[in-house]
Amino acid sequence: MSEKTRYALITGASSGIGECFARALARRRRNLVLVARSAEKLQTLAAELSQSHQVAAIPLVVDLAESGAASRVHETLKQQQIEIDLLVNNAGIGAQGEFWNVPLDRQARIIQLNIQALVELSALLVPPMVQRREGAIINVSSTASFQPLPYSSVYAASKAFVTGFSTGIAEELRPYKVKVVTLCPGTTRTQFFDSGGYGPRRFRGGYQEPEKVAQAGLQALDRGGGLVLSRPLDRCLIFIERFLPRRWIAQGAAGLFKP
Ligand SMILES: NC(=O)c1ccc[n+]([C@@H]2O[C@H](COP(=O)([O-])OP(=O)(O)OC[C@H]3O[C@@H](n4cnc5c(N)ncnc54)[C@H](OP(=O)(O)O)[C@@H]3O)[C@@H](O)[C@H]2O)c1
């Protein structure tokens, strides 16, 4: 595989943590495939990164919450003879509210994007990495994956899936030298809360900057992979929560997330 045909693919690259991954990887002189729905944002970012870092940056406008989207991405990559040696499964959405009041279509899109697209892209892009005995995946999960999150129950459950899936396949892929990072940010200053209808709210420990989250993910990749909580405070809280009854944790979270 030549340097020219090797690319990193980032889902949800048009804003927040995904955009920070794109910028950080361009600084490392990586060619990029940038995936999201916002065509204009992707095109502007791709043009900026390819010009300032002399890398190839390809915008790919796809709604990953639509069924069959991952296969269409895979087909486009094959047609353009692009080989992916780093997959950053970052795109994700949430929704706030009592689960029976959140429209079923929104819940289905959370599951389709956060789970289905992530599994399908991994399944389609990993086999060549296994064959080459080289490659990596960064799965962006969440601290929400370790606990119930009332009023965001489907989101937290989707991230519990991501952490379980990602730490599981890490062991399956280890013998083939394919690295897996399971990145679990806490509250981060992005558009996530606005687009999920959470409204303005305060969180313990405030907000992390998305650049720091992406940096923690890439540092973990440099170390060979693993499960990463990007903020020290979250490492302490998640450790303590292991020893508390799950119901207490759910009650505490309900107080924070109640609409
Ligand atoms: N912010 C936090 O506090 C926080 C904490 C823990 C984990 N996370 C996780 O971090 C990841 C990134 O989120 P963020 O915080 O950076 O939020 P963000 O700024 O809202 O970014 C979300 C990205 O996903 C893309 N996206 C949304 N729906 C999509 C779809 N149907 N198809 C393709 N792309 C789609 C968005 O682009 P388009 O709208 O252009 O499609 C955007 O680029 C998510 O997996 C989230 O669960 C965030």
Side-chain angles (χ1 to χ4, degrees):
M1 186 164 71
S2 88
E3 285 294 324
K4 279 193 175 166
T5 56
R6 286 160 68 125
Y7 282 72
L9 183 146
I10 305 158
T11 68
S14 63
S15 70
I17 297 168
E19 181 182 341
C20 293
F21 266 115
R23 292 184 180 283
L25 287 166
R27 281 196 295 276
R28 291 180 174 211
R29 307 294 298 273
R30 297 295 308 264
N31 295 324
L32 303 169
V33 178
L34 307 174
V35 179
R37 293 165 304 170
S38 308
E40 214 177 301
K41 281 195 205 167
L42 285 185
Q43 278 153 9
T44 308
L45 180 66
E48 182 202 322
L49 295 182
S50 58
Q51 207 172 36
S52 48
H53 299 285
Q54 283 82 53
V55 295
I58 299 174
L60 204 56
V61 180
V62 183
D63 183 346
L64 288 171
E66 278 180 2
S67 123
S71 299
R72 288 194 291 280
V73 170
H74 186 231
E75 204 44 51
T76 307
L77 298 173
K78 274 206 306 202
Q79 277 165 12
Q80 299 192 22
Q81 297 186 325
I82 289 172
E83 294 167 296
I84 302 301
D85 66 348
L86 170 61
L87 166 63
V88 184
N89 275 316
N90 163 77
I93 51 168
Q96 189 195 28
E98 293 141 334
F99 83 91
W100 65 93
N101 283 324
V102 175
L104 206 48
D105 173 56
R106 177 74 184 181
Q107 315 265 30
R109 283 180 69 81
I110 295 174
I111 294 167
Q112 182 71 34
L113 179 64
N114 299 9
I115 298 178
Q116 187 83 20
L118 178 142
V119 171
E120 286 183 12
L121 277 175
S122 306
L124 291 166
L125 298 178
V126 155
M129 296 184 195
V130 168
Q131 255 179 1
R132 291 193 300 266
R133 303 289 193 267
E134 186 190 80
I137 309 178
I138 299 176
N139 288 315
V140 181
S141 186
S142 169
T143 51
S145 67
F146 300 102
Q147 61 174 93
L149 216 58
Y151 308 107
S152 228
S153 295
V154 172
Y155 173 72
S158 77
K159 291 298 182 178
F161 177 95
V162 173
T163 294
F165 171 73
S166 186
T167 48
I169 63 167
E171 290 312 309
E172 295 177 31
L173 289 169
R174 194 184 302 283
Y176 300 97
K177 301 192 184 336
V178 178
K179 302 178 214 167
V180 180
V181 173
T182 308
L183 178 60
C184 298
T187 46
T188 307
R189 201 182 311 281
T190 67
Q191 290 163 21
F192 176 84
F193 294 101
D194 284 345
S195 52
Y198 289 85
R201 56 193 52 241
R202 287 201 188 159
F203 292 106
R204 58 189 179 198
Y207 290 87
Q208 267 175 298
E209 296 307 324
E211 291 82 5
K212 294 263 182 216
V213 175
Q215 192 186 18
L218 293 178
Q219 282 169 349
L221 187 62
D222 295 340
R223 291 193 300 270
L227 176 72
V228 185
L229 286 132
S230 48
R231 187 167 54 175
L233 173 69
D234 293 324
R235 289 200 279 279
C236 293
L237 292 170
I238 300 294
F239 180 76
I240 293 165
E241 282 175 1
R242 281 186 197 169
F243 304 101
L244 299 177
R246 204 163 160 87
R247 187 160 161 234
W248 291 8
I249 298 165
Q251 284 171 344
L256 279 175
F257 278 85
K258 197 165 183 163

